[in-house]
Amino acid sequence: MASLQLYPKLITDALMNVRYPGTGKNIIEEGLLADDLRIDGMKVTFSLQFPKERDPFAASLVKACEMAILTYVSPEVEIKGNISTIFAPAKNQVDPENPLPGVKNIIAIHSGKGGVGKSTISANLAVALANLGYKVGLLDADIFGPSMPKMFNLEDASPVADENGKIVPEERYGVKLLSIGFFVNPEDATMWRGGMASNALRQLITEGAWGELDYFLIDLPPGTSDIHLTTIQTLGITGVVVVSTPQPVALADARKGISMFMNEKVNVPILGLVENMAWFTPAELPNNKYYIFGKDGCKNLAEELNVNLLGQIPIVQSIREGGDEGHPVACDGNTMTGLAFTQLAANVVSATNYRNENLAATQRVHTHK
Ligand code: ADP
């Protein structure tokens, strides 16, 4: 009889029949198979790695793996006694309760409508926070129009994986950046269904090597969709920054977005509103302000809804140029526009601190009850 030729996939497929009783997932999904699978003729050796030092299921899993290989591959495989157990954090294991353990604050940037400057604000806010000395990550989750590769002059970037298989973000102007635009071309992305888009996003969030961050900004696609809800529900979002122009149609959509986040089922704090394109001042008439999209629309909405107005950013040619040239104006913190973003960043920091202090106080009240 011709002897069976063993190869790794035969073994890993068989091991997918073994479930880890702790979670009900198969042991491959659970990340319990170590990287040391060896095949030598009919002899197979590997280790199961457990994140806990003495996992109560270790011995029974070894038996179950032996059985699975003998049953699904061949009874002739020499496996008995060849599976060891080691103590090591499971690779790529993501704690669903806390997928980004090194990240202190996760801030989603939202707009009800496209074209109001959400990406411009996200890019400049990220750079301004980095200039203030914070560790900053930015995820361009605008699946249907990723613009960060251009805004950061990283259109040719193609991020690589690190030794743990995590995607290493690109780094520019002190900001760690991943964009869906690094991986797909925009024409393909627009055809994605909600589920596909949400999955791609989740992957960039949980499989990015983000490391330690003070602020992780997520530039969401405009509008309110299931992508927003999945992102919010996958992550413990600290708060949302809503961007709008002062124009009534934009404000109506901003209001819709805010009520989605404030809905008791979603219940994510709104850190505040940013009024973009608040006015236009021509260079030759520096004291004149023209309220092209209306005056104080976001300021009034913020007052009405009792949320912070985090900043009013004027329409400035250099802001548009900075975006198109891949050098956000916030890189130059001493210019008028750079300062406007520094101020915005400082306000976001205070709103975040205030929110975190309130949360801590509420938790203290609960634990003392
Ligand atoms: P969104 O992400 O909401 O679709 P973008 O950030 O892509 O919007 O902005 C839309 C266009 O408006 C871009 O060309 C951008 O450069 C420009 N823009 C945004 N904000 C300003 C501003 N404050 N001043 C001048 N141009 C701006």
Side-chain angles (χ1 to χ4, degrees), residues 135-304:
K135 295 196 190 95
V136 182
L138 172 60
L139 174 69
D140 179 8
D142 195 344
I143 302 261
F144 306 114
S147 45
M148 291 307 163
K150 186 167 191 55
M151 290 195 179
F152 280 78
N153 196 15
L154 282 166
E155 281 166 293
D156 297 327
S158 56
V160 292
D162 68 7
E163 70 276 14
N164 299 316
K166 295 237 174 192
I167 313 162
V168 182
E170 296 294 323
E171 210 159 338
R172 180 130 320 164
Y173 312 130
V175 174
K176 286 185 185 172
L177 176 70
L178 278 182
S179 168
I180 198 84
F182 292 151
F183 305 96
V184 288
N185 74 46
E187 289 88 66
D188 294 343
T190 46
M191 295 186 308
W192 286 8
R193 285 171 291 112
M196 264 169 89
S198 301
N199 277 341
L201 258 189
R202 196 171 312 134
Q203 227 177 337
L204 289 186
I205 293 168
T206 57
E207 288 174 26
W210 295 104
E212 303 276 314
L213 296 178
D214 297 307
Y215 289 94
F216 182 43
L217 307 185
I218 305 182
D219 180 11
L220 291 172
T224 49
S225 70
D226 55 347
I227 296 176
H228 296 82
L229 293 175
T230 349
T231 313
I232 290 158
Q233 278 148 9
T234 319
L235 297 167
I237 289 210
T238 313
V240 183
V241 169
V242 179
V243 180
S244 180
T245 61
Q247 194 182 2
V249 281
L251 290 170
D253 287 349
R255 191 189 283 272
K256 247 187 251 164
I258 293 175
S259 70
M260 173 185 79
F261 293 115
M262 282 182 159
N263 177 297
E264 63 186 50
K265 288 208 195 93
V266 182
N267 198 16
V268 183
I270 305 289
L271 293 176
L273 264 166
V274 179
E275 182 168 279
N276 189 31
M277 310 195 189
W279 59 78
F280 171 68
T281 298
E284 60 283 8
L285 294 168
N287 295 321
N288 289 21
K289 286 182 177 175
Y290 297 93
Y291 298 94
I292 294 173
F293 292 111
K295 187 163 186 273
D296 287 340
C298 294
K299 189 163 169 239
N300 297 337
L301 182 64
E303 274 166 23
E304 182 198 322

Side-chain angles (χ1 to χ4, degrees), residues 111 113-120 142 147 151 276-277 313-316 319-320:
S111 73
K113 234 171 83 69
V116 298
K118 174 180 52 59
S119 304
T120 306
D142 195 344
S147 45
M151 290 195 179
N276 189 31
M277 310 195 189
I313 307 291
I315 302 175
V316 185
I319 295 183
R320 200 271 306 151

Side-chain angles (χ1 to χ4, degrees), residues 288-344:
N288 289 21
K289 286 182 177 175
Y290 297 93
Y291 298 94
I292 294 173
F293 292 111
K295 187 163 186 273
D296 287 340
C298 294
K299 189 163 169 239
N300 297 337
L301 182 64
E303 274 166 23
E304 182 198 322
L305 300 177
N306 198 21
V307 300
N308 297 310
L309 180 70
L310 296 166
Q312 291 179 297
I313 307 291
I315 302 175
V316 185
Q317 188 170 334
S318 62
I319 295 183
R320 200 271 306 151
E321 285 168 352
D324 285 346
E325 286 160 14
H327 191 266
V329 288
C331 294
D332 309 311
N334 294 327
T335 59
M336 282 293 282
T337 43
L339 277 173
F341 284 110
T342 308
Q343 188 56 51
L344 171 65

